[in-house]
Every structure is written in structure tokens, then in C-alpha cells.
Amino acid sequence: MATIYEVSKLAGVSLATVSRVMNNNANVSDATRKKVTAAMSELGYRPNSIAQSLASNCSNSVGLLVSELQGPFYGPMMSGIENIFRNQGKHVIIAAGHSDEEREKQGIEFLISRNCDGLILHVEAVSDDYLIKLSKGRVPFVLINRFIPELSDRCIILNNIKGGYLAAKHVLEQGHKNIAYISGPLWKKDAQDRLAGHKQALAEFNLSFDEQLLYQGDFMETSGFEGLKTIYQQGVSFSAVICANDEMATGAIASARELGLALPEQLSVMGYDNVFFTRHIYPPLSTINYPINEMGQMAANWILNHVYQKQTEPLQTMFEPSLVARQSIKHCPQ
């Protein structure tokens, strides 16, 4: 393998000049730059990126920690982030935390050990105290879907209370009064907030929340399937079910069909997230739009702004959900 010394000898320049060319230093003439790049090409020399990053204190890589690498939710976020950085000549290193405290910590430590210039974190299990302490370290980071008052300027979040409210309000406006609810894990803040918004809408319609119509799922399709079946088998009447994400809603739809319920004639279904498949299932799923792609891009802009000192569009920390009304909600006569 060729070395930097061989490149300098073939090009007839100093080691310092070769280093300046590799780091795109402006203080190199075009003629010298061409001689060095020609020598590198002839020798098949590839710069050691780790050594370069140690020398320049910049790796041009950004760490991204997400909860899962599978499913329809995280893909658009990761794609949006990678696209922003690729256009800026940066690379993304991805790790998964699986909503587990120890795995999230291991993922963060791994990304820091890779000499990432900054981190984008979608974490749920590590404590606020851990993240506050981490913020005092050498690697800047921005949070997606997590709000900590002490770190508010680096938290990019969705108004999930409003999202839960919009979902329930739409169903209530169609005349439904007995509404089942399949939540996410209620130790998670976004699941808590969506349920709080749901209850807020019920209160506006002078309806109380029926605990018998609540099933705590895990945001996975299987829990939507089991949740609907469990509530139905209790014998409590309901004409609609609201699910705290679209994956659980598809599970609920499959469960309803297995139970012999016609959709939406006998059961209306509402989701949350507006992932790509919701418009293609039958009936097309009414849901709440979660602009996760835009939030991921905003997190990337935060890193470009704070880490690489690049001018970006104005940074936004709070995003608003919106209703996407489709055919899975049927009007229920009073």
C-alpha cells in the first residue's frame, strides 16, 4: 500500500503540501494540486480517514441513533437525514437503541468512539439526567421526539397532545361515542401525550374515558391485532377504534376482519403517523400526519449549523401534526 511519503516524493513536494491537498486547503496552487492528485492516482494512494480526522479534528461523519432499523416510520427519517448530509459531503453512521436504556447508552458510546462530529439521537429509555450530562461533553447532539427543558434549544419534537386530540375529534365529529383506544407503551412520553389529547377531545364532547376500552400496545402490528381482539371479547360495545400508530391500526384491521366485522360499516379505524402504506390498504386509513422526514432534515440542519457552522434555513423545534381523513371512518348515526 502506497504511503504519503511516496506521494510527496513522486509529486516532488513536501509532506505538508500533500496534507494540505488532502484536506482541501485553499493555500495550494492549482498546478501543485494537480501534481499531487496525479501522484496519488498513479500510486493508488487512499488517505486514511481516521488519521485525517485525528489530525484535523473533523471526521465529516455524523452519528444517528434510532430506536429501530426496521418498519415504515424510521426509514423516511433516516433517508431525509442522509440526503441532507450527503449533499454536504458528510457521511452518516447509524446505530439502533431498541428503546432499551443500556443499548441506547452503548449506541451513543459507539458513535462517539467513531469520532463523529455530532450526533442525532432518537432515544426513549435513557434518562434526562444522562442526556444533560452528555450535553456537557465534547460531542454536540440534537434530540428528535424528546423534550428536556434544560436542552430545549436542541429538542425537535411533535405536538403529540394535539395529534391525539385531532384524531379523537375527527372520530367524534362523525358521531361515534363509544371509542376503543389502543395506546403505545405508556412509559413513553409520546404515547402518554397522544392519550392525553384523546381524553381532551372526549371531554370537549362531554364524554368520559372508558378504561375498559383501553388496551396498552407496543407500537407493533401484533399488539394492534391482539388489542382489538381483547377489547372485543370483553363484550363492551364500541363503533370505532383509535390506534396510537399506523402499524397497530393495520393489526387492528386484520383482527377486525378475522372477527367478521365489516370495515368501515361496523367498525371505523383511525391511525397515527401517516406512513406510506396507509393510503394503499383497504379501506384507506384515516390518520394523523407526523412529518418525521421534515423533522429529520431539521435535525440535520441543526448539526450543519451548530457543528459545521454552515448557514441553513431557520431552525424549527416544534412541529405540528395534521389530520389526514380517508375512508376508514364512517359516519355513525346518533
Side-chain angles (χ1 to χ4, degrees), residues 8-309:
S8 69
K9 183 178 179 180
L10 181 60
V13 299
S14 68
L15 290 174
T17 298
V18 176
S19 179
R20 284 196 290 271
V21 171
M22 289 192 299
N23 289 296
N24 292 315
N25 192 303
N27 297 321
V28 181
S29 70
D30 289 341
T32 299
R33 191 181 302 277
K34 287 178 181 178
K35 283 198 299 182
V36 172
T37 54
M40 291 170 64
S41 178
E42 182 177 335
L43 293 169
Y45 175 76
R46 295 181 181 276
N48 185 315
S49 60
I50 295 177
Q52 278 185 293
S53 70
L54 290 173
S56 65
N57 202 31
C58 179
S59 67
N60 284 318
S61 62
V62 177
L64 171 60
L65 183 69
V66 294
S67 294
E68 301 291 342
L69 297 177
Q70 62 182 357
F73 180 78
Y74 293 103
M77 181 182 78
M78 291 188 286
S79 177
I81 290 171
E82 193 276 335
N83 185 61
I84 291 281
F85 286 126
R86 185 179 66 251
N87 290 336
Q88 294 290 332
K90 315 298 180 189
H91 297 279
V92 179
I93 302 174
I94 301 174
H98 303 287
S99 301
D100 176 83
E101 181 178 11
E102 194 55 38
R103 288 186 179 186
E104 288 182 351
K105 288 181 179 179
Q106 289 171 357
I108 291 169
E109 292 303 319
F110 164 76
L111 294 172
I112 292 174
S113 75
R114 295 299 91 187
N115 206 33
C116 292
D117 299 323
L119 306 178
I120 297 175
L121 305 178
H122 189 291
V123 289
E124 300 173 305
V126 292
S127 68
D128 288 359
D129 288 342
Y130 171 84
L131 292 169
I132 292 169
K133 182 178 179 181
L134 187 69
S135 72
K136 296 174 171 44
R138 64 178 181 84
V139 182
F141 66 86
V142 60
L143 296 168
I144 297 180
N145 197 35
R146 179 76 176 262
F147 181 77
I148 301 172
E150 293 87 344
L151 306 177
S152 59
D153 62 334
R154 65 176 79 196
C155 298
I156 297 175
I157 59 174
L158 181 74
N159 187 343
N160 276 299
I161 293 178
K162 181 178 178 181
Y165 170 82
L166 290 174
K169 182 172 181 285
H170 178 62
V171 174
L172 290 162
E173 286 175 339
Q174 303 310 307
H176 297 274
K177 293 183 177 180
N178 299 312
I179 303 170
Y181 190 86
I182 301 176
S183 76
L186 290 175
W187 64 268
K188 294 186 178 184
K189 187 65 165 59
D190 54 356
Q192 295 171 15
D193 286 349
R194 292 173 195 184
L195 181 55
H198 177 85
K199 291 179 177 179
Q200 180 182 329
L202 288 177
E204 284 191 9
F205 280 72
N206 296 314
L207 296 172
S208 58
F209 181 73
D210 187 347
E211 294 286 344
Q212 286 186 288
L213 294 176
L214 170 66
Y215 180 90
Q216 185 176 169
D218 60 6
F219 284 138
M220 305 298 285
E221 183 179 352
T222 50
S223 68
F225 185 93
E226 290 301 322
L228 185 77
K229 184 170 69 172
T230 298
I231 297 171
Y232 183 82
Q233 289 175 344
Q234 291 178 163
V236 183
S237 176
F238 60 97
S239 60
V241 59
I242 296 177
C243 301
N245 78 340
D246 292 334
E247 287 193 64
M248 293 194 298
T250 59
I253 286 173
S255 184
R257 291 209 168 99
E258 187 173 287
L259 292 167
L261 298 173
L263 304 174
E265 291 78 15
Q266 292 177 285
L267 181 69
S268 291
V269 183
M270 167 67 76
Y272 196 113
D273 285 342
N274 194 30
V275 298
F276 70 91
F277 61 72
T278 53
R279 72 198 69 176
H280 302 301
I281 61 177
Y282 185 80
L285 184 65
S286 292
T287 185
I288 298 298
N289 186 56
Y290 190 142
I292 190 61
N293 182 283
E294 292 84 350
M295 291 170 68
Q297 291 178 338
M298 189 59 64
N301 284 334
W302 191 98
I303 294 291
L304 290 175
N305 190 290
H306 287 82
V307 176
Y308 299 110
Q309 287 74 52

